[in-house]
Amino acid sequence: MARMNMIQALNSAMDVMLGRDPGVVVLGEDVGYFGGVFRTTDGLQRKYGEHRVLDSPISELGIVGTSIGMAVNGLRPVAEIQFADYIYPGYDQIVSELARLRYRSAGDFYAPVTIRTPCGGGIRGGQTHSQSPEAIFAHVCGVKVVMPSNPHDAKGLLIAAIEDDDPVIFLEPKRLYNGPFDGDPAKPAVPWSSHPRGEVPEGHYTVPIGKAQVVQAGRDVTVVAYGTMVHVAEAAARSLDIDAEIIDLRTIAPLDTDTLCESVCRTGRCLIVHEATRFGGFGGEISATIQEQCFWHLQAPIGRVAGWDTPYPHAFEWEYFPGQKRVAMALKAIMSAS
Amino acid sequence: MANRPRTRLHVPQPPARPGDRADFSYLKLQPAGAQPRPDVKVSALATPPLATGLVRVLDDEHRAVGEWHPHLEPEVLQAGLRHMLLTRIFDERMQRTQRQGRISFYMRSLGEEAVSVAQAMALRPGDMLFPSYRNQGLYMVRGRPLVDLMCQLLSNTRDMCKGRQLPVMYHWRKGNIFSISGNLATQFPQAVGWAMAAAIKGEDHVASTWIGEGSSAEGDFHAGMVFAEVYQAPVLLNIVNNQWAISTFQGTAGGEKSTFAARGPGYGVAGIRVDGNDFLAVHAVTQWAAERARKGGGPTLIEHVTYRASAHSTSDDPSRYRPKDEYERWPLGDPVQRLKMHLIALGKWSEDRHAALARELEEEVAAAWREATQHGTLTEGPRLDPDLMFEDVFKEMPQHLLRQREQLRAERG
C-alpha cells in the first residue's frame, strides 16, 4: 500500500498497464514530454518511450478517430481529452463510431479505447473548464461511463477500463485530484493522505465497472451521488445528524440498479445529487428507475440536487456549485415529508 | 460611388443543370504519359505538379504510355477486367432487385470501378482497407463470396451484420476490410490510426481509405491529414472525386479554385491527381504510394478524377439536378471499356471473349442470388431472430439489456 492522490493513482494505473501489456498506448494533448497539464501522465513517456506515450495534435476528433483505428489494429489506446469541455469535436467519432462498431459489424470489429477526461467544477474554470457531461454519454448505447470519487477507485477502475474490451468514457472529477472536497471552498484543502481511500495498492488490481459502492450505511434515507458530490453528500448528512446511506455509483453506465433499489426499498427515501445540470440530467434516469422499482416503499418524493440549468459561471462558481447547504436543505425536505 | 468595390458572396454553380448541354471544360486534363514519375521518397513539398496535373497511362489509341506505365502482366489486366465487370454486373442486378422490392436500398459504383479494383489489386492482402459505401470492387478483388454480400443486402438469416445495417454497409474482418459507416468520412482518421499502430508495432502493412470529394469538407478529413503527416503514417488517403455529392457539384466541396489532391502538399503530405477511370494509372499510383508508405516515406493523398455515372443511391433521381447526357460526354470515358480496348490492342482479349465473360459473370451473379434468397429476404422466408438486436452492444450483455430482451420476448408472445 502507498498513499497517493488521485493524479498519482491514475498515473500508477497507466504505469501498471503500460508495463503489463505492450499493446497499451497513451495519447493526448501535452501527455508525453510534459506529462499532462494536470501531471497525470508524468514520467510515462520517459519510462515507456515516445511510441507508447504520444503527444497528439490539438484535435479531439483526431485523437478519438485515430484511437479507434489503433484499437482495431490490436492496440489498447488510453486517450486523454484535456478537459471534458473539449470532448465535443470528438463526439461523432464516439457516438457514431466507437460506441457502435461492435454492434454494426456483429462483433467482428471492436475498439477497446479508454477516453480519460477531467470533468467538473470547483477550480475556477468557468464555463469551458467545468462541465460534467456524463449524461450525454450515458444516453449512448455501447459505451461505458465511469466516474471515480477517490484514488483507490480511480486506479482500480482505470485498470478495469483499459482491460475492458468495450469502450469506456472515464470522467475524472478534477476538484478531487489533490484531495477530498466537501463543498466548502473556505475551508483549508485536505490532502488524500488523510483519507482512507487515499491508500492505494502499488501493483495491479481492479475495481469492477458496473458496481456501485455503499460508502456509508444508514437507515433513514438513501443519498445517491458520484464524483465530487459523494464527499459533499457525506458532509451534508453529517451536518444534519441524519442516518443517511450514501451510495457512490462509480459507474454511470451500465447502472447498478440492484444496489440502488435494494437501498431505497429499505430506507424509503432517496435524494440524488450530481454536479451536472438538472434538466435532462442523469438524476432523471436514476429517479425514474427508483420510482419504477421502489414506488410502494417510498415515503417521500424522490429529490434531486444538481447544478443550475445554466452554463457554469466563472464569477458565481460557489452559488452555482451544489454545495452542502443545497444538499442539506433537500435532505431536510425529504426527511420532513411523510 | 458607383465604382466602389463591394464584397459579394460567391456561390459556386455547376456548369450545367437539367436541360443544359453537359460541359466539362472546367476539368483540367493532361495527355497520357505527360506526368513524370518521381522517386517514391520524393519530398511531399515537391509534389504540387503531380497534385495539380493528372496521371494517365492509357492514351486515346488504347496504348499504355509514359513513366507511370506499370507494365503489368496480361493475366493481371484480365483479372482486373473481370473484377470490374463483375462489380458492374453485380451492381446492375442488385439495382434491379431493389426496383422489384426485394431489397430496401442500393448504391451502384457504375463508372468508378477502377478506383476500388485497381487499388485493391495493387495492395497486399495484409493491408487494411477502410472503404466508403461505393467501394464494392474491393470485395470482388479480395474474393468475398457474392452470396455473403447479397445476404447482407437482404438482411436475411445469413446477414453478416445480423440485420443491423443498411444495405451495402458490409465488413469483412478476415479479408481486412473495415466496417462501413453511414456517417461520412469518419473512416479517414481511423485508417490513419490503424496505420500508426502498424508503425508502432513495426509491421510493414499499410492502410488505405476512401472518401468522396463532397465529404472531404468534413473535419475528419482535416484531422486525418494532420495526424497522417505528424506521425508519417503508412496510409493511402483517397479522395474519389466523382463530381457529384448527391446534387451538389464538386465546386461546392472546394474543387473550383484548386484540385483536391493539391490539399496534400499544404499539409506536408504527397498529393497525386490520377485519372480514376484508367485502371493502369490507378494501379501505378497505388503502387507508388504503397511503396512510399512501406519505406517510411509517409502518407499520400490521391485524388481519383472520375464520374458518378449512376444515381447517388436508389433513393436519388439525378435527372432533377444534372444533364441527362453528362456521362456520355464525360471526357475520361468508361474504365471497363478502356481496359478492355487496351487488352484488345495488346492482342490479349477480344469482343467475343468479353461477351462470353459477361455471360459467365451474369450467370454467376444469378446463381448467387438464387442461393442468397434461400436464406430469406427482408419480407419473405426465414427471418433473423429479433433477440439478436440486443447482442454486441457490449461484449457481455448488461442487466438492462437482458431485461429488455425479456420484455420483447413477452411482447412477441
Side-chain angles (χ1 to χ4, degrees), chain A residues 55 73 93 97 103-104 165, chain B residues 179 181 201 231 389 395:
Chain A
D55 279 316
N73 200 355
Q93 284 283 348
E97 302 294 316
Y103 192 72
R104 78 182 197 215
D165 282 341
Chain B
S179 160
S181 177
K201 294 193 284 183
Y231 301 110
M389 193 187 330
K395 185 179 183 185

Side-chain angles (χ1 to χ4, degrees), chain A residues 185-201:
Chain A
K187 282 206 304 210
V190 182
W192 277 113
S193 55
S194 65
H195 193 282
R197 301 297 272 182
E199 289 274 351
V200 178

Side-chain angles (χ1 to χ4, degrees), chain A residues 176-193:
Chain A
L176 298 183
Y177 272 157
N178 291 307
F181 175 64
D182 69 4
D184 183 352
K187 282 206 304 210
V190 182
W192 277 113
S193 55

Side-chain angles (χ1 to χ4, degrees), chain B residues 172-358:
Chain B
W172 192 16
R173 186 176 180 86
K174 265 170 60 188
N176 288 323
I177 308 182
F178 190 65
S179 160
I180 299 169
S181 177
N183 289 43
L184 300 186
T186 49
Q187 68 273 24
F188 218 67
Q190 293 166 3
V192 174
W194 193 98
M196 287 167 63
I200 288 170
K201 294 193 284 183
E203 298 169 350
D204 72 348
H205 302 309
V206 304
S208 181
T209 184
W210 292 258
I211 60 173
E213 90 285 354
S215 60
S216 74
E218 293 282 5
D220 301 73
F221 169 80
H222 173 69
M225 292 298 286
V226 171
F227 278 65
E229 191 282 328
V230 167
Y231 301 110
Q232 291 293 290
V235 62
L236 280 63
L237 301 157
N238 296 283
I239 295 180
V240 182
N241 180 2
N242 65 9
Q243 314 305 314
W244 290 97
I246 305 186
S247 70
T248 310
F249 92 119
Q250 57 97 37
T252 305
E256 200 174 42
K257 302 277 190 277
S258 180
T259 69
F260 290 91
R263 294 177 185 179
Y267 283 98
V269 171
I272 307 184
R273 185 166 172 264
V274 63
D275 176 350
N277 289 13
D278 180 339
F279 179 92
L280 294 178
V282 174
H283 195 288
V285 162
T286 303
Q287 274 186 328
W288 186 92
E291 191 187 340
R292 176 181 176 84
R294 279 188 237 281
K295 285 185 170 167
T300 303
L301 179 69
I302 303 170
E303 175 185 354
H304 301 256
V305 180
T306 183
Y307 184 81
R308 196 195 76 210
S310 65
H312 165 69
S313 74
T314 48
S315 309
D316 176 41
D317 174 9
S319 71
R320 297 179 62 171
Y321 53 76
R322 66 183 188 186
K324 277 204 166 92
D325 64 343
E326 254 197 358
Y327 188 42
E328 290 153 38
R329 296 180 188 281
W330 172 245
L332 297 177
D334 169 4
V336 174
Q337 182 69 11
R338 286 173 69 191
L339 183 57
K340 176 184 122 184
M341 296 310 290
H342 174 58
L343 271 163
I344 290 174
L346 290 176
K348 300 292 182 186
W349 200 244
S350 68
E351 291 289 354
D352 286 350
R353 286 178 75 179
H354 196 80
L357 176 64

Side-chain angles (χ1 to χ4, degrees), chain B residues 40 79 110 112 174-175 199 299 304 308 322 335 349 368 372 384 387 399:
Chain B
V40 297
L110 182 66
E112 302 177 30
K174 265 170 60 188
H304 301 256
R308 196 195 76 210
R322 66 183 188 186
W349 200 244
L384 284 167
D387 270 6
Q399 283 292 327

